[in-house]
Every structure is written in C-alpha cells, then in structure tokens.
Amino acid sequence: RIAMILLCMTLFSTSMLSGLYAKYTAKNNGEDSARVAKFDVEAAGLSGDVTVDASAGQTNGEYQFTVTNKSEVAVSYDLVITFTEDVPFCNVALANPAGTDVLGIKDGNTITFSKIGSLAPGAKGDPYTVTFILDLDKFTEKVSGESVSKTVSFAATIRCTQID
C-alpha cells in the first residue's frame, strides 16, 4: 500500500513539474542574413613622370588626378605620393578643387596628404592638381651648378576609408 501511494505521488508530482517546465520553455524559428556593401573607388591619373626643364626656366611641373566612388558607401580619402628616387630638391603642392593648398607630410621618399576629400556613394570628384616644384638652389647644387631638365618619377596611391 505504501508503494502504491508513493507511485501515485510520483506520477502526480511529475505531471505538475512537467506543466511548470512547459511554462518556461519556448521554441523559436527564424532566419537572418547580411549583405556586405560594395566598396569600389577608382582614381585616374595617379602615377607617371613629370619633367621640369630648368634650362628653359621652368621651376615646376603639374599633373591632375580624379577620384570616383563607385561604392555603395561614402568614403574619405588620402593621397600618398612615393618617389622612385631621393629628390630632396623637389617639393610637392596639392591644390584641391576649391583652389586651396593642402599640407602634405613628408617621410623619406613619401609624401602623404591626409583626408583630402570625401565622396558620396556613386559620386565623381573634381580634379586635383599636384605640382612638383624644384628648389633651383638645391637642384643646381645636385647637378654641379648646371641647369638641366629633371624627370621626377613617382607612384601615387589613394587610400580610402568608409565614413558611413
């Protein structure tokens, strides 16, 4: 008889415990997905040679480049110019499309112009003008007092950062 009472109590308490457990249990089904935004920035006219003919009285040479943002996100960008040789007699000036000069930081054969612009998704920027300026005093010292032409070779890189 005691065994029967214990069996009934066990069945009753198991039934109560199952109901209590069911109250605090949940089942959930779902799906999730993510898409990465396209990141595509192009720059035209970024590398080459600029020849400055000091014998003809030239002191500078220019080139232009344009940045196009084909991304789905807005970007800001820097310009990094790397010379293929040491050119201590050459300074570089960058004029933004508004016509104001942008300060560059020189480190060895590299000059970095930070945060020179930003573009909305799908936008094309106005052209930038980079001017290579010969310091004729230093240049003539380098070539033994003769004024001759000098070709400045460089590679330029646009470094982009997503801003939205």
Side-chain angles (χ1 to χ4, degrees):
R1 184 161 206 239
I2 293 180
M4 190 57 98
I5 292 176
L6 282 174
L7 178 65
C8 287
M9 288 182 70
T10 302
L11 290 175
F12 179 74
S13 63
T14 302
S15 160
M16 293 298 285
L17 185 61
S18 295
L20 181 66
Y21 176 72
K23 285 183 187 178
Y24 297 104
T25 306
K27 182 177 180 183
N28 190 9
N29 289 331
E31 290 183 24
D32 198 5
S33 65
R35 189 178 78 77
V36 176
K38 180 174 114 177
F39 196 84
D40 182 11
V41 179
E42 293 180 358
L46 276 185
S47 57
D49 300 321
V50 173
T51 301
V52 180
D53 189 355
S55 62
Q58 287 182 331
T59 59
N60 60 44
E62 294 182 344
Y63 89 99
Q64 287 190 332
F65 71 93
T66 305
V67 179
T68 303
N69 182 12
K70 295 182 176 182
S71 302
E72 296 175 342
V73 295
V75 296
S76 68
Y77 52 94
D78 308 336
L79 171 66
V80 180
I81 296 176
T82 304
F83 296 104
T84 56
E85 62 178 300
D86 186 26
V87 284
F89 50 84
C90 184
N91 296 309
V92 179
L94 174 67
N96 64 18
T100 56
D101 288 338
V102 180
L103 179 63
I105 298 171
K106 189 170 185 178
D107 181 18
N109 286 359
T110 302
I111 298 177
T112 302
F113 296 92
S114 295
K115 298 192 190 304
I116 61 170
S118 60
L119 290 172
K124 179 177 181 178
D126 293 324
Y128 284 80
T129 301
V130 178
T131 305
F132 295 91
I133 306 161
L134 291 184
D135 181 337
L136 289 181
D137 294 332
K138 290 181 183 176
F139 179 62
T140 52
E141 286 173 18
K142 181 140 182 123
V143 294
S144 304
E146 294 180 29
S147 290
V148 294
S149 65
K150 174 64 181 168
T151 299
V152 178
S153 297
F154 64 93
T157 305
I158 294 293
R159 187 172 52 202
C160 300
T161 305
Q162 180 179 337
I163 57 174
D164 71 351

